[in-house]
Structures are given as C-alpha cells and as structure tokens.
Amino acid sequence: MPATTTPDAPGASPASAATLDNSIVPKHEQLRAIILRLAKEDLTPGARLPSERELMDMYGVSRITVRAAIGRLVTDGHLVRVPGKGTFVADSAIQSTLHLASFTQEMEARGLTASTVVLTAERTTAPEDTAEALGLAQGTEAIHLRRLRLADGRPVSVDDAWYHPAHAEGLLDIDLTGSVYKALAEKFGHQIDRARQTVRAESAPAEIGVLLGTVAGAPVLFFDRTSYSGDLPIEHARSWYRSDRYALSMEVRL
C-alpha cells in the first residue's frame, strides 16, 4: 500500500501556483497537466495528493472536473487510488532490459524482494494454442501454474504458465513460490536458455485488474512467451504487468 506521506502545504508547490484559463483546452485537461506536473516534479512515489476538496478550492473547479482529471491520471498509471485513504503518486516503474531471466532473479538484481502467491497449480487439458506451442497433441494434459508476482509486497504481474508434462514431471510437488526456472534447471535438468515472445499494450481484464490492485481497463503490458531448453519447448506463458510498475528498456544498434 502506498505510504501515507502528506505533501508540503499547497501554497509552497510551484504546480499549485498554476491557474486554469479560458482557452479551448477543457478545464479537466488543464488540471490533469497541472496535477501530473505536481506528481512528477514536487512529490515522490507514494506521496498523497491533496484531497478533491483541496483541489477544488485551489483551482476553482467543480468536483466533476477534479475527478475527471484524476481519473485519467489513474488510468494512465501516474496515480493510484486507495479507498478510504486518498490518491497517491504511483511507484516508479521497474526498468527491465530485454533478457532471459526469471521474475525472482530480475527483482533480486534490482535489490527488491520477490514474493509469489500461487493462484492455480493443476494438471489439466492445455488450450489449443498452448498445445501447439509445446508440441503436444490437441486435448493433451499439461501442467498449469498461475501466480501473482510481487516486488517488495506490491503486485507487479500475473503469470499464467503451462509446462510440458514430460519435461516438468513432478513440478506440482515442489515449492512453487520461488523461481520455476531455477527448479527446472536444478531438479529437472532443463535450463531455460532461449525464448520467443511478443509484447503489447492492452487494457487489463477485470480479474487481472483486481489481482494487480488496479482497475479493469487500466493499461498493462501483455507478454506471450514460449521458452525452450535447447530445442525442447518447456513453457508457454502469458503475463500481465502493471505498466506503472514495470517498463522495458533496450539498446538498439545498426
């Protein structure tokens, strides 16, 4: 949960000194820009924004205008609403380079504590696209693992993964709150050494939004990945990452 840090007095903030004008730009868009500047320049991640009433008084606008401005910033991932507590500046996004690593390894490399909530762990019929990705006949059972991944206790991603039943036999018998990639290498002899994946932006499905602590329709990064050990397809996974807490970076060369 965001810290309940209270910002400096409104009058001390450069952004609070800004005013709305009567230009063709709608007032809620003008206010959105002012609040965004306040969040980025004057406040820190986890800091609480002034209340709706304070913002109404500061800028001489209606509650509808304030809610429209804040709602847009929440949807865009800049702010986070906590029922009963207020609106807070969103955490800075974890910057990830495009490389092959487990979630646990990636968070530990950034000095964060990774933790996991296991939502589903079962052996059941694989979806058609998963069967194709893993080289299985349609209707074949595979190992299904669905987990909520957290960094320093904050939800970052929901991973919905399927594993080849012949190459990960016994996976359901081990502790699934740690690194599955590490277990695949150490217990089953299958080091994940390459993957094919696509990444796209999409709106969070309702259930994913609840699990990630955001709202349905909030922007998320969606990953579809097939991972291999040598030529063996081991894992087919779909993951949804909070775009305000996770970002991709890369170096591009000629």
Side-chain angles (χ1 to χ4, degrees), residues 64-185:
I64 292 175
T65 297
V66 171
R67 287 183 175 176
I70 290 177
R72 171 76 179 277
L73 291 169
V74 169
T75 299
D76 290 345
H78 299 295
L79 302 177
V80 177
R81 280 197 183 104
V82 179
K85 292 188 176 296
T87 304
F88 300 81
V89 179
D91 295 325
S92 299
I94 298 164
Q95 292 290 331
S96 173
T97 56
L98 282 175
H99 67 293
L100 190 58
S102 71
F103 180 88
T104 301
Q105 292 170 327
E106 191 170 22
M107 295 305 108
E108 289 178 348
R110 284 158 178 75
L112 303 173
T113 301
S115 58
T116 299
V117 177
V118 178
L119 304 172
T120 301
E122 62 183 356
R123 187 179 178 118
T124 189
T125 303
E128 291 185 6
D129 58 341
T130 293
E132 182 178 354
L134 296 179
L136 301 171
Q138 296 298 325
T140 300
E141 289 189 344
I143 297 168
H144 182 208
L145 183 58
R146 194 164 183 256
R147 301 185 297 172
L148 173 64
R149 317 305 300 275
L150 305 98
D152 284 351
R154 298 183 179 90
V156 174
S157 74
V158 174
D159 297 339
D160 194 313
W162 294 79
Y163 298 89
H164 196 294
H167 306 322
E169 185 66 40
L171 183 64
L172 296 179
D173 298 326
I174 68 171
D175 179 10
L176 297 172
T177 61
S179 171
V180 170
Y181 280 13
K182 183 178 180 180
L184 288 169

